[in-house]
Amino acid sequence: MTDPDTATLLRARLPMVALGAGSGFAFWLLARSWDQTVLPEAGFLAVFAFLSSFCGAALAMIGPLSLARALRGALWIALPITGLMLLAGTRYEVATGLFDNEVLVLVAVVLVAIACPFVLLRMSQPGRWMRFADLSSASWGMLFRLSCGAGFVLVFWILGFLSHALLDLVNITLLEDIAEIDWLALMLSGAVFGLGLAVVQDLGGSGAPQLLFRLLSLLLIPVALVVGLFLAAIPVQGLSSAFGQLSSAGTLMAMALVMMMLVCVALTWQQHPSGVNGAAARLLAGALMLVTGLAVWAVLMRVRQYGWTPDRVYALWFAAVLLLHGLAYAGCAVFGGSAWSGRLRRAAVGLALVTAAALALILTPVVDAGRIAAKSQVARVLAGEADAAELPLWQMAHRWGTAGRDGLEQLADYAEASGNTDLTTRLQEARSAATYWELAADVQDVTDDLRRDLLEVMPVQPAGAVPTPEDFRGLRRYQLVRWIRGCKQLLPDGAAGCVLVRGPLGVSANAADDQALLLFREGRNGAQLESLALRFGPDGAEMLGSVLLGEAARTEQTIAQVEALLAAAQAGRFEISPARQNTLKLGDLEVLITP
């Protein structure tokens, strides 16, 4: 006779197992229909968005909620997500082109993740769905259950493969036959996932895992020390050598997310954070404004140099949202007094809703990154701030949707009206190239005329060290175009905005080592001084490693300072002398070339 307790347990687990199996079968149907022709592309996008968000949300909420309530809550999430994805799909000629934009897909996933705790609490505890403690517990509980479920699936299949290897020794291939049936394998994976969720729920997995909180709280002090060291070094080291790149902004934003997570862990772990860990949490909350502000600045510097691209639009949008968090966290930490933690808990709930709204806007026409980027790049060309070699033409043709292609049409009209044959050629190459690397290979060659054009506008020091066009063989066209444009940003006295200094500038002091340093103006109004290292040889020129500038160049320079440095170099007012290796001393500027 069956044990009643066991029967009850099986009945309780069955809904989760069924939901997991059904989700696996639904994803198999989607994968099987990927190249379907029955539904229009917009219809397939809608079905995909609905099923993926519906199944994901339902699996995240079942356990704390019954099957019926989890499905109803998932419906509340899936319907608006589907609408937003359809809106975003209108940016592309084919709606399913949205899947090529990983950022928009990730935004939709994060929106589902933010919405699930709010909906779960709204349906289970209507009076507590805006309380930080309950939201934090629900969020961490969901993450813990889903992680355990995914881990259980991984262990199941590892065991399955080992079992197959064992049975294969006696010519039994049943497990292999099951794994080769796609729909059955996915349904089985989903069922195992649901079973894992059920077991975790049976063990009280609805609460936040306290062991994880205890471990994460150990990181508060080390992270606070690292952030403090970074902020303290900024006045000494300066920012110009490190910022102005999306990699810098990405590092800052990633660290800001870590800081926010650790502060929230401290607020969940202790009602009133105290002791060394509490002080570290409060310091991180106060420093968050500085880190997020620097992230915004890093993105803006890049935009100022090279205009907008979709990645920079997304980066600035995310950085601005993080800056809003930073301002709120710092305000509570600095001005909140002894009640700072309670104030921050209330602020965090509102910030979560604001973040969800900001992410949702990315999927609407309000923040169409492709349109913003295309207008920016076209405007740069029309204003004479960019040449064809610098433009992301292939991305506009193949990644930026209809807005990118509309931008290419505007550039084509401009090229025809202005007689810009180089732009016309590059537009044709960008449209016809199947991949970016194919386009890069097409522009590898450099004509003799372009090399001669560079020598005509570029001053050289010492006076007798003038290179020949052959010395520049092996360089790419876009490199020479960039240097020529820098040279044509003239100094106030009409001299070129660049200079090439030849000499033994590397790790070797051998005078026969034919190296050179190229200084040229770049950026808006030529306000930025760029430094590149070259080595001349029998096969032409090759680009060397990074160029390290001395203390005088690590801070922002004015246009007058850039012009003064170039004028001094053109007049020969410099010296080449050994430090730890030979460097170029140009007034207060010292340049070191590293291999």
Side-chain angles (χ1 to χ4, degrees), residues 303-321:
V303 172
R304 183 171 176 267
Q305 290 176 322
Y306 304 111
W308 290 103
T309 63
D311 286 346
R312 290 171 198 147
V313 173
Y314 298 137
L316 184 62
W317 194 260
F318 298 149
V321 172

Side-chain angles (χ1 to χ4, degrees), residues 190-247:
V192 172
F193 184 80
L195 179 59
L197 294 180
V199 173
V200 174
Q201 183 63 27
D202 291 341
L203 298 176
S206 59
Q210 299 301 312
L211 175 61
L212 180 61
F213 278 11
R214 184 180 291 273
L215 291 173
L216 289 176
S217 65
L218 297 177
L219 301 176
L220 278 165
I221 297 174
V223 172
L225 290 174
V226 170
V227 172
L229 181 61
F230 167 73
L231 295 175
I234 288 177
V236 178
Q237 296 295 326
L239 296 174
S240 60
S241 60
F243 281 17
Q245 303 179 33
L246 282 183
S247 58

Side-chain angles (χ1 to χ4, degrees), residues 482-521:
R482 179 187 178 198
W483 302 345
I484 292 172
R485 188 184 66 255
C487 291
K488 290 183 177 180
Q489 296 194 59
L490 303 180
L491 303 182
D493 61 358
C498 65
V499 63
L500 183 76
V501 180
R502 296 184 74 166
L505 298 170
V507 293
S508 171
N510 186 355
D513 192 5
D514 193 3
Q515 297 182 356
L517 178 73
L518 176 63
L519 302 172
F520 62 97
R521 303 182 70 175

Side-chain angles (χ1 to χ4, degrees), residues 47-90:
V47 172
F48 183 93
F50 179 81
L51 282 179
S52 56
S53 57
F54 180 80
C55 293
L59 286 169
M61 293 186 291
I62 192 171
L65 297 179
S66 65
L67 176 62
R69 301 182 78 187
L71 293 178
R72 189 164 74 250
L75 190 64
W76 291 1
I77 296 173
L79 288 176
I81 291 294
T82 302
L84 289 171
M85 292 287 278
L86 285 174
L87 266 180
T90 60

